[in-house]
Amino acid sequence: MSDLPVGQPLISIQLTDRRSSYRPGELLRGSFQIDAIEAHELHAVEVSVLWYTEGKGDEDLAVHHFERISADSVSPGALQEMRHFQTTLPVSPLSYEGVIVKICWCVRVRAFLKRGRNYVSEQDFRLGNVPVAETVAP
């Protein structure tokens, strides 16, 4: 049996070359699919490539790439089809794992249901090759 509550979609995201780290200016390609829900239940699907911060202070978020597909714009059932995306990655900000703050990159897919709920899945990746910060002893 599935661990998913009844009516919760299964969102799968896959990066084409299955890497977890990319260089600035490189092409990020991938695909996503929505399963385990009836096609008529889906209202829209969004895919975005974004960065966000975690840690002390205000948390920031910025979207680098965004696509929205609504049920009104495609044939019935098409929101569940395998969809592809691609974007050229920017030169900054680079992924960073500091002592106080982290900068994280991800592909985020959000499924909006007609009954008002939405579900999100993310696939993390690193942009650049900045070493992990270490605490310096006094």
Side-chain angles (χ1 to χ4, degrees):
M1 291 193 85
S2 172
D3 292 341
L4 296 173
V6 175
Q8 181 173 337
L10 175 62
I11 303 170
S12 57
I13 305 168
Q14 188 166 19
L15 300 179
T16 300
D17 54 13
R18 301 177 191 263
R19 294 185 342 210
S20 60
S21 185
Y22 294 83
R23 293 185 310 270
E26 205 170 357
L27 188 64
L28 175 74
R29 294 180 307 191
S31 57
F32 64 93
Q33 187 170 21
I34 314 251
D35 287 315
I37 189 144
E38 296 294 327
H40 66 84
E41 298 259 349
L42 284 168
H43 174 65
V45 176
E46 294 177 349
V47 59
S48 52
V49 176
L50 57 95
W51 63 267
Y52 60 93
T53 60
E54 291 181 341
K56 278 192 165 185
D58 293 337
E59 293 187 0
D60 291 319
L61 178 142
V63 176
H64 170 70
H65 172 82
F66 179 82
E67 295 176 47
R68 180 178 173 94
I69 307 119
S70 68
D72 300 339
S73 66
V74 295
S75 61
L79 288 178
Q80 288 182 298
E81 293 175 3
M82 179 72 73
R83 297 238 175 227
H84 302 278
F85 63 89
Q86 70 177 32
T87 186
T88 301
L89 294 168
V91 296
S92 70
L94 300 178
S95 297
Y96 176 71
E97 192 169 332
V99 176
I100 296 174
V101 70
K102 293 180 183 182
I103 300 174
C104 308
W105 279 88
C106 72
V107 175
R108 179 180 290 168
V109 174
R110 186 178 307 248
F112 294 87
L113 304 187
K114 289 185 177 173
R115 61 180 180 259
R117 299 206 54 185
N118 68 78
Y119 296 90
V120 176
S121 183
E122 294 181 350
Q123 174 67 52
D124 296 331
F125 68 92
R126 291 186 57 79
L127 179 60
N129 192 19
V130 177
V132 174
E134 297 179 25
T135 304
V136 177

